[in-house]
Amino acid sequence: MERAVDIAVVGAGFAGMYMVHRARAANLSVQVFEAGTDVGGTWYWNRYPGARCDIESVEYSYSFDNDLQQEWEWNQRYAGQPEILTYAQHVADRFDLRRDIQFSTRVTSAIFNEKSNNWRVTTDKDDVVTARFVVFATGCLSSTNVPHFIGADSFTGPTYHTGEWPHDGVDFTGKTVGLIGTGSSAIQSIPIIAEQSKHLTVFQRTATYSIPARNDTIDKEYVKEVKANYNEFRDLNRQQMGAFGSNIRRGEQAALEVSEAERRQEFELRWEEGGFAFLSSYNDFLLNHDANETVAEFVREKIYSIIKDPDTAKKLLPTQVIGCKRLCLDSGYYETFNRSNVSLVDVGSDPIERITEHGLVAGGDQHTFDVLVYATGFDAMTGSLLKIDIRGRNNQPLAEAWDAGPVTYLGLSTAGFPNMFMVSGPGSPSVLTNMMMSIEQHVEWISDCISHIVSSGKTTIETTDKEQTEWVAFVNAVADMTLYPSCNSWYLGANVPGKPRVFMPLLGFPTYADKCTEVAANGYEGFVLV
Ligand code: N01
């Protein structure tokens, strides 16, 4: 049966959930479709052992409702996946969000009708909804990346991807396990899988920098302090580059302005403290190669000192710029390679040739195992959007419009796709921030914009080719002032073969948020309202 709503939303993670709340507040009807059986998005799917957020819990949470933020009690400094999922479920209950969300339903297409100026959204459950506006709250890291290895289907044992982990968990007891990847998901899961399994073989293409997380139960006194001035604390965080970490001591000097002895003392202190603050000791790590090398070398020394076997230690030493790929935080990652039941295979110099019935072949050697784990990440930022048949004016597919890489204005909108919005889309700060703050900022901007269109009697809002071309150039020019583009990160789409190399997230939350506010205040400058 065909239904009509004001807003169709794709995805019921933190972005889609808040979109429901805001739409209701604006008296707009809303229908959300969610592929999972419940809310939570990333935290619904990523149930691999050890999955944990690396932004502090008091910051990685909604700020829009004071009672909610005052009443909710976190247990951990960095909440684990089960705790965050419970929080998402609590929010869904508290604001009665589920009645506008249809679960176990995947959106298959969203097609703009130029005559009626409506979007026609269809699903794999044969729903058809027409909506004036469509909002993609599909998440930046939701479309799993499974490399196309020759013979992948021939493996006879169970295969898992960290980003689509079974809800009942996986029991590795007595099993031999092969795990591909050494990004954040691998770094969190490897220590736990190693403890459980008979033997774990890790296949590493690029060695990773990881800093101790030093996670612990949350300090109740600290929480009390935060809650006493929660709104001010949030505002201060929104003024940080990444919209988090106002409590982080940020070095105001360049790394090479101080002596080696002073630097080392600072690095040691921050290594002991753990967390992202480690990379804030000096202000130019991502601007200056030599400065970066001082801290990179410190981490390499730490790795070398932890690992007992010199050959393994050498393989684990990263060479790229530290922070260029997203920094990982771990609990016992490097120490895991001292276990007698863990081995490391370098597939950077000898790539995986093929998967076989009982394992894989790399560098001419056959490696056998019972279970295969892909910790190979995501087709980030664009993957989930491009999986859906999205078509705008002239029936043009989004995939065609983004043939040379994603083009957006503000990461919110793309030309030729009227009344379509993306939450934390490519071209917005998104993954380089505390996602909760970016999500709130986008959802509030989008819902205000929709309310404006409706109340002012307009029909459509759409950006222009010129505006988005300039925006993409700006996003890349900002990145080019830093060392970010110097390695093959997923920020650039470099982890997915054939994906156009474009730096997707914008650096700097506060100036971006100001720009969005200014655009709206100036009558949606850069958009055409009809
Ligand atoms: O994915 P990744 P992830 N052959 O892309 C390797 C967020 N997150 O799921 O580096 C062999 O980082 C690939 O190798 P290389 C966070 O933003 C957050 O771990 O491309 N190996 C890499 O080692 C994070 O950055 C949290 O050479 C192959 C790995 O697979 C993002 O999600 C926790 C390969 C993929 O690492 C993604 O993290 C978890 C191939 N063909 C995730 N293809 C926290 O909040 C890929 N690889 C803590």
Side-chain angles (χ1 to χ4, degrees):
M1 197 186 67
E2 199 157 327
R3 279 174 292 154
V5 291
D6 293 317
I7 314 174
V9 178
V10 188
F14 283 119
M17 290 166 67
Y18 188 35
M19 201 63 227
V20 173
H21 187 63
R22 290 286 299 197
R24 284 184 193 162
N27 277 323
L28 296 164
S29 57
V30 59
Q31 175 64 60
V32 183
F33 292 109
E34 164 57 51
T37 58
D38 201 0
V39 295
T42 286
W43 303 101
Y44 171 93
W45 296 104
N46 284 265
R47 300 180 189 227
Y48 60 84
R52 185 175 296 286
C53 186
D54 49 16
I55 306 271
E56 291 193 0
S57 310
V58 288
E59 299 190 40
Y60 192 86
S61 48
Y62 286 122
S63 70
F64 70 83
D65 186 278
N66 197 43
D67 290 343
L68 170 67
Q69 68 180 3
Q70 289 294 341
E71 285 164 29
W72 180 261
E73 298 288 346
W74 292 104
N75 293 313
Q76 300 272 302
R77 176 181 174 195
Y78 299 107
Q81 174 274 330
E83 195 177 0
I84 303 177
L85 185 58
T86 306
Y87 170 74
Q89 290 164 341
H90 166 77
V91 175
D93 291 340
R94 187 182 178 114
F95 297 100
D96 188 20
L97 300 179
R98 290 189 186 85
R99 71 183 149 88
D100 286 322
I101 307 173
Q102 183 174 321
F103 293 102
S104 307
T105 306
R106 198 172 274 284
V107 167
T108 47
S109 74
I111 295 171
F112 186 67
N113 181 328
E114 288 192 70
K115 287 197 187 111
S116 57
N117 287 314
N118 276 335
W119 283 89
R120 187 170 189 272
V121 177
T122 61
T123 76
D124 62 355
K125 297 288 184 307
D126 296 330
D127 303 279
V128 181
V129 161
T130 52
R132 280 194 67 186
F133 302 90
V134 63
V135 177
F136 288 96
T138 37
C140 295
L141 297 160
S142 345
S143 183
T144 52
N145 169 41
V146 182
H148 297 290
F149 293 122
I150 296 168
D153 291 339
S154 59
F155 186 68
T156 51
T159 301
Y160 305 103
H161 190 289
T162 45
E164 280 176 354
W165 204 256
H167 288 196
D168 299 335
V170 178
D171 183 6
F172 291 103
T173 312
K175 305 277 190 223
T176 54
V177 182
L179 184 148
I180 304 172
T182 51
S184 300
S185 305
I187 276 181
Q188 291 185 329
S189 54
I190 282 169
I192 299 171
I193 297 176
E195 263 176 34
Q196 262 187 25
S197 60
K198 186 168 154 198
H199 191 92
L200 170 65
T201 308
V202 176
F203 297 93
Q204 169 190 275
R205 186 166 70 179
T206 310
T208 314
Y209 296 97
S210 186
I211 307 300
R214 312 274 184 224
N215 182 42
D216 208 340
T217 50
I218 205 156
D219 176 345
K220 300 270 183 212
E221 279 309 304
Y222 172 61
V223 174
K224 226 194 231 172
E225 240 175 73
V226 167
K227 286 191 174 178
N229 293 297
Y230 220 149
N231 292 337
E232 287 88 336
F233 178 72
R234 300 287 198 178
D235 284 344
L236 269 179
N237 284 324
R238 286 191 194 93
Q239 286 161 31
Q240 311 301 311
M241 275 286 280
F244 74 99
S246 59
N247 54 0
I248 289 176
R249 284 179 296 115
R250 291 181 199 276
E252 283 166 11
Q253 283 175 292
L256 297 171
E257 271 182 88
V258 303
S259 70
E260 195 187 332
E262 195 179 321
R263 271 198 310 271
R264 176 162 286 276
Q265 197 182 6
E266 187 65 24
F267 293 158
E268 284 290 358
L269 187 75
R270 289 182 185 246
W271 181 269
E272 283 318 307
E273 286 173 3
F276 278 132
F278 182 75
L279 271 195
S280 296
S281 38
Y282 298 97
N283 64 14
D284 58 345
F285 287 145
L286 278 159
L287 299 172
N288 177 325
H289 242 288
D290 294 340
N292 192 283
E293 188 51 27
T294 62
V295 68
E297 186 55 22
F298 176 85
V299 179
R300 283 183 216 117
E301 282 172 26
K302 282 285 178 200
I303 299 169
Y304 205 78
S305 71
I306 294 169
I307 308 295
K308 292 189 183 130
D309 171 47
D311 282 343
T312 307
K314 271 186 211 139
K315 283 188 215 161
L316 284 167
L317 299 184
T319 53
Q320 71 274 18
V321 158
I322 183 170
C324 172
K325 293 189 178 200
R326 192 176 183 282
L327 189 66
C328 300
L329 302 188
D330 71 279
S331 300
Y333 171 66
Y334 295 116
E335 291 80 353
T336 299
F337 291 93
N338 288 332
R339 295 176 66 101
S340 57
N341 70 332
V342 175
S343 39
L344 178 68
V345 177
D346 173 11
V347 292
S349 40
D350 292 315
I352 295 169
E353 291 160 33
R354 60 183 188 281
I355 307 282
T356 61
E357 263 179 59
H358 302 293
L360 64 77
V361 176
D365 295 330
Q366 167 79 52
H367 302 272
T368 56
F369 38 79
D370 306 320
V371 182
L372 173 57
V373 177
Y374 287 101
T376 44
F378 301 90
D379 182 355
M381 305 201 73
T382 57
S384 304
L385 291 163
L386 297 179
K387 265 187 183 169
I388 303 170
D389 181 13
I390 302 174
R391 286 189 244 162
R393 288 197 192 283
N394 306 316
N395 211 26
Q396 189 192 27
L398 184 66
E400 190 185 290
W402 286 8
D403 192 29
V407 270
T408 73
Y409 178 46
L410 302 173
L412 281 160
S413 163
T414 193
F417 296 79
N419 292 3
M420 173 184 122
F421 298 99
M422 292 158 279
V423 182
S424 55
S428 72
S430 58
V431 291
L432 292 174
T433 68
N434 171 1
M435 283 300 293
M436 296 297 281
M437 294 302 102
S438 280
I439 283 171
E440 285 191 337
Q441 186 259 338
H442 262 193
V443 169
E444 286 163 16
W445 193 95
I446 292 168
S447 50
D448 288 349
C449 175
I450 292 177
S451 295
H452 173 79
I453 300 297
V454 171
S455 65
S456 61
K458 304 280 186 201
T459 310
T460 56
I461 180 167
E462 182 181 359
T463 192
T464 64
D465 278 329
K466 177 178 171 291
E467 218 50 68
Q468 66 181 14
T469 304
E470 285 174 10
W471 186 256
V472 174
F474 168 68
V475 171
N476 279 271
V478 174
D480 285 342
M481 289 191 276
T482 72
L483 301 177
Y484 273 107
S486 69
C487 67
N488 290 326
S489 69
W490 57 258
Y491 299 139
L492 280 158
N495 63 326
V496 176
K499 193 165 170 172
R501 197 178 170 99
V502 176
F503 197 82
M504 293 182 282
L506 170 68
L507 280 150
F509 179 83
T511 42
Y512 170 80
D514 287 348
K515 165 82 180 167
C516 291
T517 308
E518 194 186 300
V519 163
N522 291 340
Y524 293 94
E525 211 172 25
F527 291 90
V528 177
L529 278 68
V530 176

